[in-house]
Amino acid sequence: MLAEAAIDTGTVLRAALRRQAHHWAEAAEQLQDREKLMHAFGRSGIHRVIAQRLERFLEENCSRVLHTARKLLERLKGDADRSQLVTLQRELLGLRELYVSTETAVHFYTDAVNTRTGPHMASILRACDIICKRCMDETLAPLGRTAPHVLTFIDRGLGASILRSEQRLWNGAMSPVAAVKVTYFNMLRPTSLVHESGHQMAFMLGWNEELAAALASTPDVPPAIAKVYGAWASEIAADIFSALHCGYGSVVALHDVVCGNPLQVFAHRADDPHPTGYVRVLLAIAWCRICYGAGPWDALEHSFKQQYDIRMMQMPGLEITRGCAEQVERMAHRCLHTAFKAFGGRTAAQLVDPQRVSPKTLDELERSAGPALYTSPIWLHREPLRTLALNSLRIATEADPAPHYRRQERWMGALGTTVELN
Amino acid sequence: MNNENDLETLTLEALSPFADPAMGKEAATQDLYEALGELEAVDPFAATMATGAVAPADPRTSNRNATIAELNDTEMDEVLYNVAGELIERAETGQVMGQFEFGGTKASLGQQAYVNKLADASERFIDRMREHLEAQPMASLTESEIDQLVAQYAGEQEGFTPVQDQFFDKIIKTVGNVVKSGVKAVSKVLPIGPILDKLKKLIKPLLERVLKFAIGKLPKNLQGHARTLAKKFLGLNAEASFANEVETEAGVDVIQHEWNAAVGTIATAQTEAEANAAVDEYNAMSASEDTNDLNAARQRFVQELKQLKPGQDPQPVIENFLPVALVALQPVIKIAISIIGRDKVIGFLAKPLASLVSKYIPESVSVPLATKILDIGLGVMGFETSEEAPSVAAYEAIASTIEESISGMDVSNLVEEATSENLTTARRSMLNAFEAAAANSFPNAYIKEKLRNTTSDGVWMLMPRNAKGNYAYKKYSRVFEVNLDAAKVKSIRTFRHLPLANFLKDKFNIDLSTPVKARVHVYESIKGTWLSKISLHEKVPGLGSAAQHAWNQLHPLSPIAAATLLGEAGLGRQFSPMFTTSRHRIGIGQRFFYLELGRSPVRRPVPTKPGGGTTPPPPQPARSGDVQAVLDFKQGLIRLNTFFSESDAVDIATKLRSNDYAGAAKNIETSIRGTLHGILLNNVGSKVKIIHEASSEQYMDQWLGAAVRAVGGAAAGAVAGVATDVLKGQLEKLANLITDKAVEAVENYFKARAAEFIAAQAEPKDGVTVKLTFNNFPGMAAISTLVQAAKGKLTVGHIADLVLPPKLPMPDVQVKADKVFN
């Protein structure tokens, strides 16, 4: 009792609050130190503009935490009555939340940079940065728009993903650059980079909304099915972008990602923006057929349907998948041949000519450039997307793809050290 | 006011280029500059400048020069320039300034750490070499063993920047060459141990020089007239510049040659005392002097103008500013000033200047003027307008006008003979230049319409604005939005006379078959400008760095370039080839442009060093086409090395792969005739190499330096200049002859051996070199006549009489990936 009576609640509470505020301030100081968070190679392995933006991001956001902590510490210096202490306690909680959310945001980028573990991985990921930037540049520049810088990083899993540039982050700050996750298993067939960049591009141009409206109102398609397609518009947009830039190779890569458990391939989830896997693959194959006529995609479709025979399946929601599959050809045409305001009144196939990556054109590219296509700084600079398309095509169609994987790796290493993002 | 002053006031009023917007009228113009000479009677001066021919070199000097030539590394200046660039990047304001440990130089901590790291590594390397070599007999070492030995120490240094790596590689190469030279001359020179010991003592002074160069505190011997003499002695820059052209800053080329000379002297020293003397001499030469005087003087000038009371005569203020400005901008006038008398010259020049600018000094005029300047400059330049006072921009415009008038002054006669007549003539030319200078420094609204240089309302601003008066260059306030197309850039040449179209194609993969949008930023050099300082301080996409990939995007803005690119010929300036050959040597007042393209540049593949290291390979810009001719009199042959940029090589290989030999030949012809031949003809001094028993291996500039000295001994000053021109003319004729044959030979080669070119192009290197060797070149003996110049036996008549062979044999052709010159 005596001990309790000696304690002044206000004093100890203020001391406890002060101690905690000090701690969060100290933590924010640590968070600001880029050398502690990113290893040397990671820092030097990224493009200087991205490095500058990340540094500024780190500084601004950690300063925000520090500033909040210092303001609170200042207020904790003076006397405070009970209600003021409650307010200060609430502010401490706010500081804590601000720190944690800032740490999440900062950690996301520093973690991404740290996946550039050495010269080789740094050059491969810089090649990925270049591919993302270049495919957006080629699409956005004619429309008078500038593509954002992209920081790619490698991670586990099957699916790539993107944290768009100028997207609201955990702590309320805007993302300084786009960040694209590349998966280990597709590192040497990274057409998914173009898919993810397609998300950024479609968002910037407002294409998702336009495409959704176009798909949902496709003539001669049952409205319920058209509406389902409309709900998938954002993912379909990214798939179109990838197919137009990378051709058949990207379709095979998509096929390989989708080909998992049959239940997942056929499952339709109303809240999922991704098309049902079954429909998604058939839609991409239909684009190839529309653009290039007959080709290896016909055999791919045949084997896919053998592997995943919809007639043999029974599961909830299968009717929607079946209904969508029946409309694939119409919807594929709708995707490619509808003029959009987002594209200045052009269709997707007019904006990015699919013939640039037809198997025939890619053969011609390989023949005219020869082995220099994979080594010459000029070819590396001139044709990174079509070389990706060509090698993805070879990996997809050659009986022994191993040499093409090796070549792809060497090419990406050279691309990452030879071409600048500016 | 007496009558004489009245007359001068009236005269200058009419002379003034300024239109007074406040008065809304332009003064009637008439050429009254002529009258100026009569305004003041100046006492005649009897003294004249001492002139005389340079004495011929003695045999001992010749021997040493031969060794220097052997040890000469022509790429060293490039490396030193890059080291200086990295040093200025580390000169951040706000850093704690400390005393540099091996010199009296104040440097930032970052700069100290940078230089110390290089010095330590280089000295450690030399110590290890010494230990190794002292343990075995020198005479038994072969050249390849020496190469192997130095190579084992050449691994990547931990934590070095790519540029530090380049420097270290050069030290390794120098040491290797010194050892080789020691083996050759064993028993005639000092043992290798003491030689390396002395060489080690040169490392820190060398780095100190580069540091001083970077922070603007150059050794006295590299400045002004002393530098010119040093260059003559070293045989540099035989080619002449236009009148009034002055280099912005002593270049790294002289630092390089001083280094070579010291290394050569040590390597050939016969006694320890001789070697010690060379080290002492090298150290003594690095006493420093602040060359940022002009910036400091300008700041003082601005402050003093601000403090003038209404109606107070500005002449004393101008007189305070003029001495520094004159020495910085017209260094050769120094001697004339000393002969005529400082006060007399300064007063004579300051008086009319004071009259011309006086009405812009009162605050009631200077503040609106500064506001107008800042209004024009602000929007496009985006600098923070934290000017100390609103009138500063106006006073800086006045300072710039005076500086430019001084630069435009023709002092050639005055330097020849320091007489009152010649001083009057020089002053007249200064006042003539004042017109254009004012038009460059003041907004158009303040300049009479017919005198305006541009139609656009831009102003030249000293930059960077946050440098507290320590300015590094000027920028034109307007950024031009242009569409580049093949027709527009056709006549524009960048450094080395390279067509701008080639630059865009090689460095940015832009072929201009469709127009490309660009933003054009325009700059002007002032005293102390380097291109890397512009690229460092300019925060526009693609610049913002002192690294090579940034500064090599700046191009000379000639009147032709300004007219075709910007539609404003008045923004361009013509400079002699002396200042358009290398980006390391530029003139005061020279104009440049940068194309902001929004395109990613092409980089040259750089192999990763063994061991990887913690930094990725440095980004190196792709190279453009180049050419080198080698006249090898020892073997009686001529080599023409033609380097095709990667971009050109890709185009040729693509055609060859399609069996389009005619197309490939056409490309070759276009490259050789349209580009490479032009480079050769416009850069004879640095693209033609001479190999001769009498002079060892030297580039034409060095060789001509020796030749001119020799000719000068017999025929004196002016004749030497004529001889140089005649020699170059003969070499141009030879180049024309060789080029014709080269085109024919390469076309034949493709018909039979296209696969070799295709294979070379497919290697992961930058570009392809086609080496053509004309063995048993007819008339080689006749061409050898030229070499007599080096022996002092040649007259201009002999050179002019040279007859070149009418028909050449077909050369041997070799193809190599990458740029492989002799």
Side-chain angles (χ1 to χ4, degrees), chain A residues 206-284:
Chain A
W207 185 33
N208 290 334
E209 295 75 14
E210 264 198 278
L211 180 63
L215 292 174
S217 61
T218 307
D220 305 324
V221 172
I225 296 297
K227 197 175 161 197
V228 173
Y229 269 99
W232 292 336
S234 65
E235 288 299 328
I236 290 177
D239 281 347
I240 296 171
F241 193 67
S242 176
L244 290 174
H245 275 295
C246 298
Y248 178 58
S250 72
V251 175
V252 174
L254 172 67
H255 167 275
D256 292 358
V257 172
V258 167
C259 281
N261 185 322
L263 288 175
Q264 288 175 337
V265 172
F266 290 107
H268 170 255
R269 284 188 294 272
D271 57 349
D272 188 351
H274 293 88
T276 305
Y278 185 71
V279 178
R280 197 176 174 191
V281 171
L282 294 181
L283 188 62

Side-chain angles (χ1 to χ4, degrees), chain A residues 40-41 44-45 48 119 134 366-372 375-379 381-382 417-422, chain B residues 508-509 542-543 598-603 605 613-616 619 646-647 650-651 654 657-658 761-762 764-765:
Chain A
F41 203 91
S44 56
R48 63 189 165 82
R134 187 60 76 88
E366 190 174 42
R367 193 201 57 71
S368 65
T375 56
S376 160
I378 287 293
W379 282 115
H381 189 278
R382 197 179 283 175
T417 51
T418 310
V419 178
E420 277 286 296
L421 292 168
N422 202 23
Chain B
F508 288 91
N509 209 4
L543 297 183
R599 301 286 186 100
S600 59
V602 182
R603 297 293 188 228
T614 54
T615 50
E646 182 65 15
S647 171
V650 160
D651 290 348
T654 305
R657 288 182 64 83
S658 307
Q761 190 272 313
K765 302 274 175 69

Side-chain angles (χ1 to χ4, degrees), chain B residues 144-200:
Chain B
S144 64
E145 281 171 339
I146 295 168
D147 286 337
Q148 280 172 12
L149 182 62
V150 294
Q152 75 185 52
Y153 294 110
E156 189 189 34
Q157 299 297 304
E158 195 57 36
F160 264 15
T161 68
V163 171
Q164 283 176 314
D165 265 339
Q166 288 171 7
F167 177 88
F168 189 64
D169 285 348
K170 291 293 171 200
I171 296 297
I172 287 174
K173 193 175 166 192
T174 302
V175 170
N177 288 339
V178 166
V179 174
K180 284 176 193 170
S181 128
V183 170
K184 273 191 218 162
V186 75
S187 83
K188 290 181 198 155
V189 294
L190 279 178
I192 194 66
I195 287 181
L196 289 182
D197 191 42
K198 308 301 174 229
L199 190 59
K200 190 176 122 181

Side-chain angles (χ1 to χ4, degrees), chain A residues 57-247:
Chain A
F57 176 82
L58 225 68
E59 198 183 310
E60 285 173 3
N61 285 276
C62 294
S63 298
R64 204 171 127 214
V65 180
L66 272 172
H67 179 69
T68 310
R70 284 177 188 143
K71 236 169 63 183
L72 180 59
L73 281 167
E74 197 57 37
R75 295 185 60 197
L76 282 165
K77 272 183 188 167
D79 290 335
D81 61 22
R82 183 82 193 167
S83 70
Q84 284 170 323
L85 280 172
V86 169
T87 308
L88 291 169
Q89 197 173 354
R90 206 179 299 126
E91 284 180 21
L92 180 71
L93 276 177
L95 170 64
R96 177 195 172 98
E97 280 165 20
L98 180 62
Y99 172 82
V100 171
S101 60
T102 301
E103 186 192 73
T104 307
V106 167
H107 189 255
F108 174 80
Y109 287 107
T110 55
D111 226 18
V113 169
N114 284 338
T115 64
R116 301 185 182 210
T117 48
H120 182 67
M121 190 54 83
S123 59
I124 294 285
L125 288 174
R126 273 172 67 94
C128 293
D129 298 346
I130 289 158
I131 290 166
C132 291
K133 181 83 163 59
R134 187 60 76 88
C135 68
M136 286 192 281
D137 273 339
E138 287 192 5
T139 316
L140 292 171
L143 300 169
R145 303 290 299 270
T146 306
H149 278 282
V150 183
L151 172 71
T152 58
F153 62 99
I154 194 142
D155 206 352
R156 65 189 176 79
L158 293 176
S161 60
I162 183 170
L163 176 71
R164 288 193 314 266
S165 174
E166 298 293 307
Q167 188 170 330
R168 190 74 63 188
L169 296 172
W170 299 269
N171 63 340
M174 303 301 275
S175 54
V177 293
V180 171
K181 173 189 149 189
V182 191
T183 56
Y184 283 108
F185 99 102
N186 256 342
M187 189 175 80
L188 298 181
R189 189 181 50 175
T191 53
S192 57
L193 292 169
V194 183
H195 170 97
E196 299 306 331
S197 305
H199 282 304
Q200 175 78 47
M201 182 275 305
F203 172 78
M204 288 173 68
L205 296 176
W207 185 33
N208 290 334
E209 295 75 14
E210 264 198 278
L211 180 63
L215 292 174
S217 61
T218 307
D220 305 324
V221 172
I225 296 297
K227 197 175 161 197
V228 173
Y229 269 99
W232 292 336
S234 65
E235 288 299 328
I236 290 177
D239 281 347
I240 296 171
F241 193 67
S242 176
L244 290 174
H245 275 295
C246 298

Side-chain angles (χ1 to χ4, degrees), chain B residues 419-698:
Chain B
T419 62
S420 61
E421 289 77 17
N422 288 340
L423 180 62
T424 306
T425 310
R427 184 174 82 163
R428 191 174 297 132
S429 67
M430 177 188 78
L431 293 169
N432 274 327
F434 185 90
E435 253 181 23
N440 281 326
S441 308
F442 282 72
N444 271 351
Y446 284 76
I447 300 296
K448 291 168 186 170
E449 198 168 346
K450 73 170 193 175
L451 297 178
R452 292 173 189 167
N453 287 324
T454 60
T455 55
S456 62
D457 202 10
V459 284
W460 286 96
M461 298 295 296
L462 285 157
M463 298 290 282
R465 298 305 300 174
N466 58 5
K468 297 189 178 4
N470 194 20
Y471 298 122
Y473 59 96
K474 284 184 194 172
K475 180 172 186 179
Y476 193 61
S477 64
R478 188 177 158 202
V479 178
F480 297 80
E481 310 268 350
V482 300
N483 272 317
L484 300 175
D485 57 42
K488 190 171 272 180
V489 304
K490 196 177 171 188
S491 54
I492 302 175
R493 293 282 187 277
T494 182
F495 285 94
R496 292 191 301 129
H497 201 69
L498 182 79
L500 183 64
N502 287 55
F503 177 90
L504 294 171
K505 188 162 172 263
D506 301 331
K507 304 278 199 291
F508 288 91
N509 209 4
I510 292 173
D511 68 1
L512 294 178
S513 56
T514 50
V516 170
K517 281 186 181 171
R519 285 162 56 80
V520 189
H521 301 258
V522 179
Y523 306 98
E524 182 182 312
S525 50
I526 59 174
K527 171 76 180 163
T529 300
W530 319 340
L531 293 186
S532 55
K533 286 183 184 172
I534 299 178
S535 68
L536 174 66
H537 293 297
E538 277 300 297
K539 304 300 179 201
V540 295
L543 297 183
S545 159
Q548 187 178 356
H549 66 80
W551 52 258
N552 80 348
Q553 293 187 61
L554 289 159
H555 312 281
L557 186 70
S558 64
I560 289 177
T564 50
L565 204 57
L566 315 173
E568 294 277 12
L571 279 179
R573 282 198 179 150
Q574 195 66 45
F575 269 70
S576 66
M578 186 177 189
F579 296 109
T580 55
T581 300
S582 160
R583 285 183 169 85
H584 302 172
R585 191 166 61 209
I586 56 172
I588 293 174
Q590 197 172 352
R591 302 259 170 95
F592 305 93
F593 67 96
Y594 163 67
L595 294 173
E596 185 190 333
L597 294 158
R599 301 286 186 100
S600 59
V602 182
R603 297 293 188 228
R604 187 190 323 171
V606 179
T608 311
K609 287 209 164 197
T614 54
T615 50
Q620 301 261 22
R623 289 171 295 211
S624 286
D626 203 355
V627 65
Q628 181 198 43
V630 181
L631 310 184
D632 187 342
F633 296 103
K634 281 184 183 173
Q635 298 185 59
L637 55 83
I638 291 180
R639 281 204 183 86
L640 186 69
N641 296 317
T642 52
F643 171 68
F644 293 90
S645 69
E646 182 65 15
S647 171
D648 285 343
V650 160
D651 290 348
I652 293 164
T654 305
K655 287 187 173 148
L656 291 175
R657 288 182 64 83
S658 307
N659 300 326
D660 178 9
Y661 298 108
K666 182 79 190 156
N667 277 39
I668 286 282
E669 188 169 355
T670 306
S671 280
I672 293 181
R673 288 196 199 283
T675 307
L676 302 181
H677 186 63
I679 291 174
L680 183 61
L681 289 190
N682 284 279
N683 303 274
V684 166
S686 55
K687 297 293 170 195
V688 177
K689 203 171 199 181
I690 306 286
I691 302 176
H692 194 276
E693 292 90 343
S695 61
S696 85
E697 200 168 308
Q698 292 182 27

